[in-house]
Amino acid sequence: MYPNYIKHLLQIEDVKVKKVYYGIDNTINIMLETKPSQHICPCCGKSTSRVHDYRNQKIKHIPMGMHSTILILRKRRYSCSCGKRFYENYTWLPKYQHMTRQLIKYICHKLRDTVSYKHVAKESNVSISTVIRTFNRINYPKLDTFPEILCIDEFRGNAETDKYQCILVDGRKKHQHVIEILPDRKQHHLTEYFISIPRKEREKVKFFIQDMWLPYKEIANTYFKNAKIVIDKYHFVRQVIWAIDRVRRRLQKTMSAKLRKYYKYSKSLILKRYKNLTKEQKEKCDVMLLYNDELRQAHFLKEWFFDICRETKYRVVREEFSRWIKNAESSGIKDFEDVAATFQRWYKEILNSFKYGYTNGATEGFNNKIKVLKRVSYGIKNFDRFRNRILHICG
């Protein structure tokens, strides 16, 4: 059915298979040779077909099944009338290499997964340093174009440049990918990067998605004049969760050891949505809330805020959110007073989150991939290699 089966199996053209056998280390050895033909002398440019000698070269190829593959090529060396001797060229074998182009592509493809260099080296039957050298040929240049929705966040990369690195992501649905990895999140370095982007490209950004970190907001106001700043929903919702949990922990310190342990291990009943609890869980939660007025009031504010988050009408959300802030400010609970002050500072940006619905979910997903990559690699200190690997996986 396939007369040129070698081309389909090995993905190599113009070769003849002379012998196939298993080696001592359970590798598949395939002996190959090519037809003699006319070749151009690299010295004088004349054509010659005169063979000087032969030698066998072992070349690593893509593994087949559970076995590594070794190609044993009978290389032909030609001689020219000018005295130059040279080996014939092969389209599938780079010069001065001992592995095929197909194996190089295979290694680069495998590195798109969140696996270590050691894992790829073991699968490809090459050394770890060979995998690293192969990957070092890949270099992703800095992009000078920005999408309409730009997401920014930081992650703990522990690279040589800084403890935290900054990630930029295209937030458009069906187009989500990592745009750039910056060496750190310091404001002067962010300024240097964004000022290098053409103004026309920065003016295309309509939404700037971030967490509640002030330097990002200052960057957005300076370099993205046409963009609306949107706070990721997770970052302001967790402020309320943290506040009620601090109230619970403060209350526990005044309890007996037995009661303190019960409140500690039953904290999920207070943190979860009340309407999502079972009947039995609601009864237990009611008993816990009856113990203290401050905890009961904090629970009411938490449930109210979650109801606001579930509201679909923006006008209702805006009114209820303003009322919630006023009630939290006058609640007498310091933790919720602090949350109200934070929400007041980020009032417009939080309302933009309710109005437009954009989040940093894609960015958090990429951050999780980066954490997996760090874990399997036991950290990557070289920032350039770390950046290229992230863009290779998430770009």
Side-chain angles (χ1 to χ4, degrees):
M1 186 175 180
Y2 293 103
N4 49 352
Y5 57 91
I6 296 301
K7 174 182 175 182
H8 293 281
L9 183 63
L10 299 180
Q11 300 178 13
I12 296 175
E13 296 181 352
D14 303 326
V15 294
K16 288 183 179 180
V17 175
K18 304 300 291 183
K19 187 179 179 181
V20 179
Y21 62 94
Y22 282 99
I24 300 175
D25 51 354
N26 206 25
T27 60
I28 298 176
N29 295 318
I30 304 174
M31 299 188 70
L32 303 175
E33 68 175 20
T34 59
K35 292 181 180 180
S37 59
Q38 293 284 336
H39 284 269
I40 304 299
C41 175
C43 184
C44 66
K46 292 181 180 180
S47 178
T48 180
S49 60
R50 187 168 58 186
V51 178
H52 178 72
D53 59 8
Y54 295 87
R55 79 176 181 91
N56 289 337
Q57 179 182 352
K58 290 186 176 181
I59 304 163
K60 293 182 179 180
H61 192 53
I62 299 173
M64 293 186 180
M66 303 293 291
H67 305 281
S68 302
T69 304
I70 302 294
L71 305 180
I72 303 175
L73 176 64
R74 192 165 186 253
K75 295 187 73 173
R76 191 177 291 108
R77 187 164 60 156
Y78 291 89
S79 63
C80 181
S81 58
C82 69
K84 177 68 176 179
R85 297 185 180 95
F86 60 93
Y87 285 103
E88 57 187 334
N89 295 321
Y90 308 94
T91 56
W92 48 273
L93 180 64
K95 198 173 183 180
Y96 307 120
Q97 291 290 325
H98 291 270
M99 57 183 181
T100 61
R101 294 186 189 275
Q102 289 80 1
L103 182 56
I104 294 173
K105 292 178 183 178
Y106 177 83
I107 291 172
C108 293
H109 178 72
K110 283 293 181 182
L111 288 172
R112 285 192 175 275
D113 300 327
T114 50
V115 294
S116 64
Y117 294 117
K118 183 178 180 180
H119 176 83
V120 177
K122 188 176 180 180
E123 280 197 351
S124 307
N125 190 29
V126 296
S127 65
I128 298 174
S129 58
T130 299
V131 173
I132 294 174
R133 285 198 307 270
T134 301
F135 181 71
N136 284 344
R137 301 177 187 179
I138 300 174
N139 183 34
Y140 289 91
K142 186 185 78 171
L143 298 179
D144 56 357
T145 59
F146 274 166
E148 292 183 354
I149 304 172
L150 180 63
C151 304
I152 187 170
D153 200 6
E154 69 278 344
F155 62 91
R156 188 169 179 173
N158 290 321
E160 60 189 358
T161 52
D162 198 61
K163 183 178 180 180
Y164 289 95
Q165 279 68 55
C166 185
I167 180 172
L168 302 178
V169 173
D170 185 345
R172 297 174 298 171
K173 290 183 178 179
K174 299 182 180 180
H175 297 278
Q176 293 170 343
H177 66 276
V178 177
I179 299 172
E180 185 58 270
I181 301 294
L182 302 179
D184 58 51
R185 61 173 183 173
K186 295 174 183 175
Q187 193 168 16
H188 63 280
H189 287 157
L190 294 177
T191 300
E192 289 177 6
Y193 171 75
F194 286 120
I195 205 171
S196 67
I197 304 299
R199 179 179 294 180
K200 289 183 179 180
E201 291 300 323
R202 288 188 269 116
E203 289 176 350
K204 289 180 182 178
V205 178
K206 295 181 179 179
F207 297 98
F208 190 89
I209 320 299
Q210 63 161 90
D211 56 17
M212 302 172 76
W213 200 49
L214 188 59
Y216 290 157
K217 181 179 178 180
E218 294 173 351
I219 288 289
N221 288 330
T222 305
Y223 298 103
F224 299 93
K225 301 289 187 180
N226 298 335
K228 292 180 174 61
I229 302 174
V230 179
I231 299 298
D232 179 49
K233 188 176 182 180
Y234 165 77
H235 288 88
F236 61 80
V237 169
R238 70 177 181 176
Q239 297 286 333
V240 178
I241 299 296
W242 287 347
I244 189 173
D245 198 45
R246 287 195 296 269
V247 173
R248 176 193 60 81
R249 283 183 289 169
R250 189 167 61 250
L251 175 62
Q252 283 179 189
K253 294 179 181 179
T254 64
M255 297 177 176
S256 61
K258 185 177 180 180
L259 196 57
R260 181 167 63 247
K261 187 178 293 186
Y262 177 80
Y263 268 71
K264 179 180 179 180
Y265 291 112
S266 301
K267 66 178 182 179
S268 61
L269 299 178
I270 296 175
L271 300 182
K272 285 183 179 179
R273 289 299 313 266
Y274 185 77
K275 66 178 183 179
N276 293 336
L277 300 177
T278 63
K279 184 178 179 181
E280 183 181 355
Q281 289 175 332
K282 286 180 180 179
E283 292 175 356
K284 291 180 179 180
C285 182
D286 291 338
V287 173
M288 293 175 69
L289 295 177
L290 284 172
Y291 188 87
N292 184 268
D293 290 337
E294 189 178 52
L295 182 62
R296 187 164 58 253
Q297 188 179 2
H299 187 267
F300 168 75
L301 288 171
K302 185 262 295 183
E303 289 293 319
W304 184 10
F305 186 78
F306 280 171
D307 289 336
I308 295 172
C309 294
R310 298 288 295 177
E311 180 59 53
T312 56
K313 295 181 180 179
Y314 176 69
R315 180 180 58 80
V316 177
V317 170
R318 185 177 56 194
E319 293 173 358
E320 288 295 306
F321 185 57
S322 299
R323 286 181 54 214
W324 189 93
I325 291 177
K326 291 180 181 178
N327 276 267
E329 287 175 338
S330 59
S331 64
I333 305 174
K334 184 181 182 305
D335 305 285
F336 278 88
E337 289 173 354
D338 294 342
V339 173
T342 302
F343 285 177
Q344 198 69 54
R345 289 194 300 271
W346 297 91
Y347 181 78
K348 183 180 178 181
E349 292 77 17
I350 293 175
L351 284 180
N352 284 340
S353 177
F354 288 118
K355 186 175 183 179
Y356 300 106
Y358 293 120
T359 68
N360 240 351
T363 310
E364 297 298 340
F366 289 129
N367 284 349
N368 187 55
K369 270 192 173 182
I370 294 169
K371 288 178 183 177
V372 174
L373 175 63
K374 272 182 55 188
R375 186 160 59 246
V376 300
S377 304
Y378 297 95
I380 302 176
K381 284 294 183 182
N382 188 305
F383 172 73
D384 291 330
R385 188 179 298 141
F386 191 27
R387 170 190 174 273
N388 283 334
R389 187 73 195 280
I390 293 170
L391 293 176
H392 193 61
I393 294 173
C394 307

